[in-house]
Amino acid sequence: MANLPSDDMASFSVVLSQSKHIIAVAGAGLSAASGIPTFRGAGGLWRKYDAISLATPEAFQENPSRVWQFYHYRREKALKCQPNAAHTALAAFSNKQIRDAVAPESTFTLITQNVDGLSQRALDSMPSTADSEDPQPKMLEMHGRLFDVICTKPGCRHRELNFTSPIVPALAGTEDLMEAGAVEPDIPLSDLPRCSKCGSPARPGVVWFGERPHYLGVIGKLVRQADLCLVVGTSSTVYPAAGYAAEVQRHGGKVAVFNLDRSEGDEDADFLFLGPCEQTLPAALALSEQQ
Ligand code: APR
Ligand code: ZN
């Protein structure tokens, strides 16, 4: 029988100290402690809908009112939530001076599937230090951002960051209405978000099923050079992100999984730290005292 992955923090810290190119691949579990529901398992339902069935271009085509209500709910939720200790640990780790203490002369990039913006907020709240010698991106939001809005008109495609709450008046209070047992409002396209440039219907700036994730070229390079991959709070069921850990291992790198539960392929990891990542990750990165 194959060896089970190790859960030994001391051996992990030795591997960490010898790693030169580190990546983290994160998923919804990273934000769970902040109060953002995950997609699969408990919490994967919004109203009576499977969250995943709403995250498609077809769902938006068929019922833009419902899909916008779903993203309005997620935007409002994310605005109320705060980054947790796992976001903060990853943000701290992306600072070269801090990282040098545990993984000297290494690079680090967080590749996140999350669209909630919490990792960016954790990075923004880090004290700024001259980190110019770090040529790599600190973070890549490969599935887009909840607060981006994109024009649906092929000739325009204008994209902008929009933190307005609610994003349009027609979406205000839709969640409370439903909780009070009302019939789902059918909001006309004209009252849903519009492009600020051309006035065409706008859509949430997230990557839906069947669409191409962002930064695949840069991510491909990072994965090919990585000698350590931290897999944080993801079910590892959605590609291409789900394939990165195996790719790192294939060329001799190590993999450490941080998940509340067992996840796809974790038996092949070198390290498996089961438990809430907001506890295990700061401990593993020796950053608990920074929280
Ligand atoms: N700490 C660590 N892991 C956790 C925690 C926690 N506190 N809470 C939950 N988890 C784990 C769950 O055990 C699960 O394995 O987080 C994982 C969440 O999995 P998913 O809900 O499938 O989320 P994710 O892997 O990010 O999904 C990938 O699918 O729907 C799409 O585009 C969406 O980016 C998303 C992608
Ligand atoms: Zn437009």
Side-chain angles (χ1 to χ4, degrees), residues 26-34 36-42 44 51-52 55 71 74 84 86 112-115 142-143 206-209 232-239 241 258-264 273-280:
L30 171 63
S31 295
S34 297
I36 305 220
T38 58
F39 292 94
R40 294 167 186 82
I52 295 163
Y71 283 96
R74 292 182 59 194
N84 66 56
T112 185
Q113 301 168 87
N114 298 345
V115 295
M142 66 181 294
H143 288 174
V206 299
V207 175
W208 282 332
F209 283 97
V232 183
T234 173
S235 57
S236 291
T237 52
V238 176
Y239 284 81
F258 299 81
N259 199 302
L260 198 54
D261 263 311
R262 300 301 304 266
S263 54
E264 201 67 32
F273 299 110
L274 288 175
C277 63
E278 61 278 14
Q279 290 170 17
T280 54

Side-chain angles (χ1 to χ4, degrees), residues 150-153 155-158 194-201:
I150 318 174
C151 178
T152 56
K153 191 176 161 195
C156 179
R157 296 281 180 212
H158 175 64
R194 319 282 299 182
C195 172
S196 68
K197 280 240 164 101
C198 76
S200 302

